[in-house]
Amino acid sequence: LRVFRFACRLGFTIDQELLQCCGSPDVHEALSLKVSRERLLPEIQGVLECDNRKSARGIFLFHYTGVLPN
């Protein structure tokens, strides 16, 4: 999630291999089991606090990789 925040805020391009890893079921499971909701919220807020175009990119990345539960 942090990579999405930095990519949005600083305009970084995320490597395709890293995006594929973010979409991995193993990563999704680890996020749900090992990362508290209290830690998730600041990362999501960091994306949403960017300007509209950049935050839209972050939301797309969340959706594209499926890292956030539906």
Side-chain angles (χ1 to χ4, degrees), residues 37-68:
R37 292 186 184 269
E38 291 79 15
R39 186 62 233 142
L40 293 175
L41 187 58
E43 298 299 340
I44 296 167
Q45 285 176 324
V47 167
L48 297 176
E49 289 171 355
C50 295
D51 67 46
N52 288 341
R53 187 174 181 188
K54 290 179 179 180
S55 64
R57 179 178 178 221
I59 293 167
F60 170 78
L61 290 169
F62 291 144
H63 176 72
Y64 177 76
T65 59
V67 297
L68 296 181

Side-chain angles (χ1 to χ4, degrees), residues 10-33:
L10 304 173
F12 292 162
T13 300
I14 301 173
D15 182 79
Q16 190 62 35
E17 189 175 343
L18 178 57
L19 282 176
Q20 289 175 349
C21 289
C22 290
S24 158
D26 291 336
V27 170
H28 295 180
E29 182 179 5
L31 274 172
S32 67
L33 297 175

